[in-house]
Amino acid sequence: MARSTTPDRPDGQQRKPEAAIDPADRPAKPRADRTTRQAAIWATVVALPLTALVAVLIFGQLRPGSVERPASTPTAAAPQVTTPVQMAAPVLAERPATVCRALLSRLPATLRGAGQRPVTAGPEQNAAFGDPAVTLACGVAEPPIPDVPDLWMVNNVCWLTEHRDGDLVLTTVDREVPVRLSVPAGQEQTVQWAAPVSDSLVASVPSVPNVPTGCEN
C-alpha cells in the first residue's frame, strides 16, 4: 500500500494541521522571575539619584569661577583700658550715699560698648567707662535750670544737657539724688550715653514730684 509523503519531511510523517495541534503540545513561554524583576527595579531606583549626585558634584568642581570661600576668622576685640580714672569723691549724707550705692550696684558693665574702668576715689558713688573716659558722678549738686533749658527725656529720666569745657554734661533734674554724666570730646557726644544709665536710675533712684517744664512724658 502506497504512503503519501510531504516534500519537506523525508521520514514520511505528515504535519498536523495548525488547528489540530493540542495546546498541551505547545511549548510553554518562559516567564521572568518576579524576584529578579523587583531587584532590577530597586537597583535602578537607587542608581539614578546616585548618578545624578555624582554629576552635580563633578559639574560644581569643573564650573569656571567656582572658588571655595575661605572661612571667616573672628575679629579680636579691642583691649579694654583698665587704668584708674581720676575722680573726686565728696562726702555724702547718709541718704544720698545709700541711694548712690544702690545705683552703682545696678550699672551695666559697659556703656555703648565702652567697658567700665576703676576710679581713684568713691567707687560707691563714681564710675567711668571707656577711653577717653565717660564719667558718672552720683550725689552732685542740683544744676541751675536756665531760662531755655535743653531737656531730654531718655528712658523715663529727664536730663539737662550742657556743654562745659568741651564736654557734653548731662545731669538728672527729676531724681531725688542728682546724677551727672560727662562725655568728653574724644567720644561721640550724644544723649544716647544716658540710655543704659536711665534704666538703672529708674530701678534705684526715686523720682521727685516737681520737675521742670519739659520733663513730662
Side-chain angles (χ1 to χ4, degrees):
M1 180 176 176
R3 294 184 300 178
S4 62
T5 60
T6 55
D8 56 346
R9 288 187 175 270
D11 57 356
Q13 295 181 357
Q14 292 183 348
R15 180 188 300 176
K16 293 182 180 181
E18 187 67 24
I21 296 176
D22 193 334
D25 296 338
R26 295 181 179 179
K29 295 181 179 181
R31 294 184 303 172
D33 185 81
R34 179 175 298 177
T35 303
T36 304
R37 213 168 44 238
Q38 290 180 347
I41 293 174
W42 279 111
T44 304
V45 170
V46 173
L48 284 177
L50 183 60
T51 303
L53 177 61
V54 172
V56 169
L57 293 177
I58 294 175
F59 176 78
Q61 291 179 354
L62 298 180
R63 183 165 50 92
S66 178
V67 180
E68 184 178 356
R69 181 178 299 177
S72 58
T73 57
T75 304
Q80 295 287 347
V81 179
T82 57
T83 54
V85 177
Q86 188 76 29
M87 295 189 70
V91 178
L92 301 177
E94 182 178 356
R95 174 62 181 172
T98 300
V99 172
C100 288
R101 283 195 297 270
L103 170 62
L104 269 292
S105 68
R106 289 180 175 270
L107 287 179
T110 61
L111 292 186
R112 305 184 74 221
Q116 189 167 357
R117 296 172 57 182
V119 293
T120 57
E124 70 284 348
Q125 63 195 73
N126 294 326
F129 299 85
D131 182 36
V134 176
T135 59
L136 179 144
C138 181
V140 299
E142 293 184 9
I145 305 298
D147 294 336
V148 185
D150 188 9
L151 299 173
W152 290 78
M153 287 296 298
V154 181
N155 293 4
N156 298 315
V157 176
C158 190
W159 296 84
L160 172 68
T161 64
E162 304 171 282
H163 285 87
R164 302 179 189 173
D165 301 327
D167 292 353
L168 172 65
V169 179
L170 303 101
T171 310
T172 61
V173 293
D174 65 343
R175 297 289 132 178
E176 178 185 322
V177 178
V179 174
R180 182 176 64 231
L181 195 62
S182 300
V183 183
Q187 296 283 7
E188 182 185 5
Q189 295 191 330
T190 171
V191 295
Q192 290 303 317
W193 287 99
V197 177
S198 294
D199 295 336
S200 301
L201 278 162
V202 170
S204 57
V205 183
S207 60
V208 295
N210 299 321
V211 297
T213 302
C215 289
E216 297 84 0
N217 285 318

